[in-house]
Amino acid sequence: MTETVTCSICNFRYVPSVPEDLASHRKRHEETIHGIRAKAAITDRVVWLEGDFRITALCALDSKVQRLRAQRVATLGKREGGYDFPPFTAYEHFDERVTHVFLLYHKDRIIGFLVFSLRKDLGVLEWTDETGETKDLDAKEPYWTVDFIWVLRKFRGKGLARKLILVASEYFENPIEKIAWYPPFSKDCLELAKKMYPEKVYIGV
């Protein structure tokens, strides 16, 4: 009987005796630990650079190469979060939400990303409210919203998720105080939101 193994790190199921399975697992495992390999391209729209780190911005109107990169990273983040669908695909339509993706690189690897979009259905969640209920917010205009944010595990705790949000906010000349978050919150995302906004957070749906 052929034995199927599930990797405890990358959650990839494979048959060790099958060369193709072994190669697929090796690639998935490497990306889960070190990020997705992606060399600098002439189509990169670099919006922040510091040492070996850089952030690029893209949207559904950018090249297919850029959109496919974003999709690969979104799929990696989806796997770790246990979600059914990636938060961004290469075939997204550019609509009124003006969705943008900000990719975080370390050298020749993509190690994080942020999906940022405009949302007009807004609410306010106060951390001290024991009911955990979101109150409606009568906003005159949509808020830029953190739809999804993810950083490779070994790079967490270095302020890089916060940097992604700050760079995205500056890119659109948007006040950092007027940023909403799209639920549900992962454990790490909840901690980040509370650190950045200790009293209350805006919710975009």
Side-chain angles (χ1 to χ4, degrees), residues 128-187:
T128 55
D129 188 345
E130 295 181 356
T131 66
E133 294 183 358
T134 300
K135 299 176 182 177
D136 291 339
L137 176 66
D138 186 16
K140 295 181 180 179
E141 56 188 19
Y143 277 28
W144 282 105
T145 303
V146 177
D147 284 2
F148 195 97
I149 189 165
W150 172 85
V151 173
L152 197 70
R153 187 170 297 277
K154 73 177 184 178
F155 285 97
R156 293 175 191 171
K158 302 178 185 297
L160 293 172
R162 181 187 179 93
K163 175 58 71 174
L164 275 165
I165 295 172
L166 292 175
V167 168
S169 185
E170 291 173 3
Y171 183 79
F172 290 109
E173 299 181 350
N174 179 76
I176 194 67
E177 298 81 12
K178 289 182 62 177
I179 285 181
W181 299 68
Y182 181 71
F185 289 98
S186 66
K187 180 183 177 182

Side-chain angles (χ1 to χ4, degrees), residues 8-204:
S8 61
I9 295 176
C10 66
N11 295 320
F12 187 74
R13 294 186 65 191
Y14 66 104
V15 179
S17 59
V18 178
E20 292 80 4
D21 273 20
L22 204 59
S24 296
H25 170 247
R26 189 179 297 112
K27 181 179 179 181
R28 169 80 70 85
H29 196 88
E30 183 194 35
E31 291 181 344
T32 301
I33 296 175
H34 301 295
I36 292 175
R37 194 180 297 277
K39 294 182 179 180
I42 58 174
T43 54
D44 287 348
R45 197 187 320 157
V46 179
V47 294
W48 176 79
L49 179 65
E50 186 175 297
D52 290 329
F53 294 93
R54 69 185 186 278
I55 294 174
T56 65
L58 65 102
C59 69
L61 300 178
D62 278 287
S63 69
K64 188 175 181 180
V65 170
Q66 293 292 337
R67 289 182 281 117
L68 284 172
R69 280 188 178 185
Q71 178 177 290
R72 287 184 65 197
V73 185
T75 301
L76 187 59
K78 177 212 71 154
R79 290 186 193 125
E80 183 180 333
Y83 299 103
D84 293 329
F85 304 101
F88 181 86
T89 71
Y91 305 99
E92 300 272 344
H93 294 292
F94 195 73
D95 55 23
E96 69 276 2
R97 291 198 291 127
V98 199
T99 300
H100 275 65
V101 176
F102 293 81
L103 299 178
L104 172 64
Y105 291 76
H106 179 250
K107 297 182 179 179
D108 64 345
R109 300 269 185 171
I110 305 176
I111 61 164
F113 77 106
L114 163 68
V115 181
F116 210 49
S117 72
L118 286 171
R119 292 185 180 270
K120 59 184 179 181
D121 294 325
L122 301 162
V124 180
L125 175 61
E126 296 181 355
W127 302 123
T128 55
D129 188 345
E130 295 181 356
T131 66
E133 294 183 358
T134 300
K135 299 176 182 177
D136 291 339
L137 176 66
D138 186 16
K140 295 181 180 179
E141 56 188 19
Y143 277 28
W144 282 105
T145 303
V146 177
D147 284 2
F148 195 97
I149 189 165
W150 172 85
V151 173
L152 197 70
R153 187 170 297 277
K154 73 177 184 178
F155 285 97
R156 293 175 191 171
K158 302 178 185 297
L160 293 172
R162 181 187 179 93
K163 175 58 71 174
L164 275 165
I165 295 172
L166 292 175
V167 168
S169 185
E170 291 173 3
Y171 183 79
F172 290 109
E173 299 181 350
N174 179 76
I176 194 67
E177 298 81 12
K178 289 182 62 177
I179 285 181
W181 299 68
Y182 181 71
F185 289 98
S186 66
K187 180 183 177 182
D188 290 336
C189 191
L190 182 62
E191 290 179 359
L192 175 62
K194 286 185 174 181
K195 285 180 180 178
M196 293 186 68
Y197 305 97
E199 296 181 2
K200 63 183 180 182
V201 68
Y202 296 114
I203 302 295

